Amino acid sequence: MNDVFFSMRPAYPWSVEPLGLPALALVAVALVVITVWSYTGHPSASRRRILVVVALRMLALAVALLTALRPSVGVQETPKNPSVLLVGIDTSESMTTKDEVNNQARIDAVRRVMEKSQPILDELAAELNVTVHVYKFSTPDFSEGTSKFAPADPTDGKRSDYGTYLHKTFDRWQTERFLRGHLIVGDGADNGEAYSAVAEAARWGQKGPVTTFTVGSENSTTTSQDVAVTSIDCDPSPVPVKTDLTVTASVNAFGFPGARVAARLFIDGKPVATEEFTLDKEKDNKLRFAAKAPETKGEVKVKVVVGQLRDDQIVPLRGELNGDNNQSETYLTVTKDGLRVLVIDRLRWEETRLRDALRSEKRFDVAEVIRQTDGAVTAAEEEFLDLDSQAYDVIVIGNVAPNQLTFTRGGKTIDVLDKVREAALKKGMGVIFLGGEHSFRGMPADLLPVTVPADPGAAIVEVLDGPGGRPIEHFQTVPTDEGLAKMMRLSKDQKQSLTLWEELNTTTRARPTAKLTGHNKMVRKPGATVYAWTTPAREAVQAGTAMPDAASPLLVGWQVGDGARGRVLAFGGYDSYLWEKLGQPKTRQGSEIHSRFWKQVVLWLAHQEDEEGEAYVRPATRQLKVGGEQSLRVGVRLPGGGDDPSAEFTLKVVPLPEGKVEPDAADVERARPEPVIRDKDGAKVLYRPRAKGEFFAVLTSPKKGPDGKPVAGPDGKQVLHRATAKFFAVPDVSDEMLRVNADHDFLSRLSVPNGGKALRLEDLPAFLRELKEQKDVGTKPKPKFYPDWRRSHSAGFLPAWLVLFVALLGAEWALRRLWGMV
């Protein structure tokens, strides 16, 4: 509604209260009297001429007076700020249920109400400048740009995905300043999986309330019964080897609320758990299994089957509509990132600093057992020394004697060294023996890559200033080429690595020595490799120098056991913590050398030294619906951490034939490369599977040398990084018609908690009429004046007004001149 009022703003001095307007009236009367008097009595003036001239003069006077008073008619108009009204209409298959008035389908009732509401929508557009967007939604492929509702559109969506609709429309309209409303029309039979509809509605509530309109009966019945495993989640994912794992299966049980079922978990094709569960709800029951990750890294298949247990087999429940969806599969990546280390030693600085260095690496799970004497093993120590249950990747055995590594359990003596030997030879566990006065003697001979003197007094090489005095001789640590290539590389740059070892082995007056004070005597066994040797020479020996015959080995190793998988090292030093003195107190250079060395030693023992520089493919999900979008992150790790931003990729995705671990090379060769997209998070490939089954992604990337150029192999061909990944595409089996009851409570949860209303379909026209009567929120309305005397708003009125004033005076003067009355 518009408000009309009269406005007058006299110019100064006529605006001075209370004398301004009366003074202006007196002046106007005086001018009228003078004008009439000046023309009467003139010899050329007749009555008609006087009337004409006086009329023109009076009109000019009226123009001048109006200019002084500046009267206007003000109109306070209701503003018409451009605004948006959103309407979302459910077009899923359940909307074809005939439970509305006169047995009409729900969607037909919606079409009739929308047709009845169209005039009001047109009025909103014409009178209040409202842009109305009417969307249709059902399946997860909703697109704000293309999913426009038309009455003739089919209603055949296999899902009612309210969450995706709310999520994508919020992304599009969250910046809209004037949102008049957001209406959702549907039966509320939500079965979307990608987004929580309630959570997305809460996001909308911060922008503006959602109003819902329920169509359909809440008492429609269906005789369909079905149990379906809709998804499998593994936590954590990826998972480190041999660590705890939780597998959660989401299960729908339409028509089977309260049913007791058996569920079996398979990992890598092997049954690992069978449990009974009660399906409390018709939708989204969570069945959780506790399991252990496999002992080897790679991709393993995880499957869950749900049903009834019969003859040790899981079969569908009686009366099920479809038994094929009682199981689901996914892939789980098992990594070596989680690495378990056990340190067994005495309390000494070497153990303390080594332990701290390892614990600074987040990937390492470090446990320690301190055996200061040969006394009884505590309960906590016994737990750590139970190698059968702990499944360590690496064991560090320090300055302890064999009799300190036995304990009794249940009347049976447990020899820890026997367990260590078995784990190294049979399971490929890594072991390192450290130097010390009690070290090496009595340790398993087939594990040790060295032999040591039998005489304890001859075991240690050190030169002291008298008995118990300070060391007067120090020993260099000189890596061999094999050591630099394995665990003694201190920098990705070879020259820098050599320089760091030279600085560590150099003593000057300005810098205190950071070398070892002694070492254990060792002799390399045939077949073992010397990775470092030691010398008391004063001048630094260049790293990479081969060990002379007369020199003493310091770090020796070999690979033993089944498949030569067990890696064993013997380190003769017992005070490598002295390396940390290099650079102190100004820098931490020595501490970084000490920490890097011990981390690389443990990684080599655990067969993880080659993970730096590897390529990877990481699917966003291991299971998706056919036609869904899979995002595969790709990259090549740099030795120093992070991804190589200049890496080049070729990624191909091919269907995996049933029963095969990898597709044929010819199939991979024929497949077309997928385009690689780069964003702020790195590189990725988007892929949409068009059929159900397993898919195999193969990534290749040229390996580059330190100069940044591709590396060629002995045959002249380019050396490639290679990585693979697998995932499942499963059909989107419709459960849309298994539960067709309208769900008004669900729609209420979308609207009421966020300030909206939960109404019925028939309330839509009345709600739109109320919406039309609501005033706009935003810019405050401003009055509009007719005429507008402000110079910046006159829009040509003031110039025209001046022309009128001049025209009246000019006409009056011209007539007086013509008639000789001047």
Side-chain angles (χ1 to χ4, degrees), residues 38-110:
S38 63
Y39 291 119
T40 57
H42 195 283
S44 300
S46 64
R47 180 176 293 178
R48 183 179 62 82
R49 290 178 177 180
I50 291 174
L51 289 175
V52 172
V53 172
V54 169
L56 291 173
R57 180 65 67 86
M58 291 300 103
L59 288 175
L61 179 60
V63 170
L65 292 174
L66 289 174
T67 303
L69 294 174
R70 294 187 293 183
S72 297
V73 175
V75 180
Q76 192 86 315
E77 294 183 340
T78 301
K80 296 182 180 180
N81 294 321
S83 59
V84 172
L85 174 64
L86 307 180
V87 182
I89 297 177
D90 183 358
T91 56
S92 60
E93 199 174 8
S94 63
M95 291 290 285
T96 61
T97 304
K98 295 182 178 182
D99 58 358
E100 275 294 318
V101 178
N102 297 326
N103 200 35
Q104 63 179 330
R106 295 170 182 175
I107 190 62
D108 290 334
V110 172

Side-chain angles (χ1 to χ4, degrees), residues 399 434-441 451-462 518-523 552-553 571-574:
N399 189 28
L434 306 182
E437 68 270 24
H438 299 283
S439 300
F440 300 117
R441 293 186 306 278
T451 57
V452 295
D455 181 10
I460 303 295
V461 177
E462 59 184 358
H519 61 88
N520 282 63
K521 289 182 179 180
M522 302 187 303
V523 177
S552 298
F571 179 67
Y574 46 77

Side-chain angles (χ1 to χ4, degrees), residues 549-667:
D549 292 338
S552 298
L554 181 67
L555 181 64
V556 182
W558 63 3
Q559 297 189 203
V560 295
D562 294 348
R565 292 188 301 126
R567 289 181 173 181
V568 183
L569 288 173
F571 179 67
Y574 46 77
D575 49 11
S576 66
Y577 65 89
L578 293 175
W579 295 345
E580 296 186 302
K581 294 167 62 176
L582 180 64
Q584 291 182 354
K586 294 182 179 180
T587 70
R588 298 187 70 256
Q589 187 178 46
S591 296
E592 292 170 358
I593 289 174
H594 178 264
S595 178
R596 184 177 180 110
F597 168 76
W598 284 112
K599 289 177 184 178
Q600 289 183 152
V601 164
V602 169
L603 288 171
W604 183 83
L605 290 169
H607 295 267
Q608 292 193 31
E609 78 281 5
D610 294 328
E611 288 201 355
E612 292 182 329
E614 285 188 346
Y616 64 84
V617 183
R618 296 175 184 155
T621 178
R622 292 298 187 151
Q623 184 191 92
L624 73 160
K625 300 294 189 295
V626 172
E629 185 176 78
Q630 174 69 281
S631 176
L632 300 118
R633 282 284 169 190
V634 296
V636 174
R637 299 185 186 94
L638 290 169
D643 286 358
D644 182 358
S646 63
E648 302 172 4
F649 306 107
T650 300
L651 183 84
K652 296 181 178 181
V653 182
V654 295
L656 185 61
E658 187 174 354
K660 285 196 172 185
V661 178
E662 288 196 19
D664 295 334
D667 293 336

Side-chain angles (χ1 to χ4, degrees), residues 141-381:
D141 59 355
F142 171 82
S143 169
E144 184 277 333
T146 59
S147 299
K148 304 296 183 180
F149 176 78
D153 287 341
T155 312
D156 56 2
K158 299 301 182 184
R159 285 195 179 276
S160 299
D161 198 339
Y162 285 75
T164 295
Y165 166 74
L166 288 166
H167 177 82
K168 292 189 175 182
T169 51
F170 183 82
D171 285 350
R172 166 62 179 87
W173 294 106
Q174 61 179 318
T175 58
E176 173 62 36
R177 288 185 62 196
F178 303 115
L179 184 69
R180 190 167 286 268
H182 189 178
L183 318 182
I184 296 180
V185 182
D187 55 18
D190 174 56
N191 53 18
E193 297 176 346
Y195 303 96
S196 165
V198 174
E200 294 299 327
R203 282 211 304 165
W204 265 107
Q206 300 172 7
K207 176 70 180 174
V210 173
T211 303
T212 57
F213 298 86
T214 306
V215 57
S217 171
E218 295 177 270
N219 298 315
S220 294
T221 57
T222 175
T223 57
S224 300
Q225 294 178 302
D226 196 33
V227 170
V229 182
T230 59
S231 66
I232 301 176
D233 294 315
C234 300
D235 183 33
S237 178
V239 60
V241 296
K242 299 179 286 188
T243 56
D244 292 335
L245 170 69
T246 300
V247 178
T248 303
S250 297
V251 180
N252 291 345
F254 296 115
F256 291 105
R260 190 73 176 168
V261 297
R264 180 165 290 169
L265 171 66
F266 295 82
I267 296 181
D268 207 17
K270 302 175 183 177
V272 297
T274 302
E275 298 186 28
E276 288 193 350
F277 298 93
T278 299
L279 303 179
D280 297 318
K281 304 179 292 184
E282 283 200 331
K283 182 181 178 184
D284 205 25
N285 296 277
K286 301 296 184 184
L287 312 187
R288 292 180 174 85
F289 298 86
K292 283 280 188 182
E295 294 186 357
T296 57
K297 71 176 185 177
E299 292 186 309
V300 298
K301 191 179 295 185
V302 178
K303 180 170 73 171
V304 174
V305 182
V306 177
Q308 57 184 346
L309 189 61
R310 184 185 302 164
D311 298 330
D312 200 36
Q313 298 293 319
I314 306 293
V315 299
L317 300 181
R318 181 172 300 183
E320 276 199 67
L321 179 68
N322 180 13
D324 294 337
N325 57 7
N326 282 43
Q327 64 181 26
S328 185
E329 293 177 297
T330 188
Y331 274 104
L332 172 66
T333 299
V334 181
T335 71
K336 288 290 288 185
D337 288 344
L339 193 153
R340 302 204 68 205
V341 182
L342 174 64
V343 179
I344 307 173
D345 205 343
R346 293 172 182 262
L347 280 175
R348 55 176 181 157
W349 279 111
E350 182 75 344
E351 188 276 335
T352 300
R353 300 307 300 142
L354 183 152
R355 177 204 62 201
D356 292 345
L358 297 183
R359 284 183 175 173
S360 66
E361 174 59 57
K362 293 181 179 179
R363 289 181 294 174
F364 295 173
D365 178 14
V366 181
E368 67 176 346
V369 173
I370 301 299
R371 299 297 293 143
Q372 202 70 15
T373 68
D374 56 0
V377 174
T378 66
E381 291 172 342

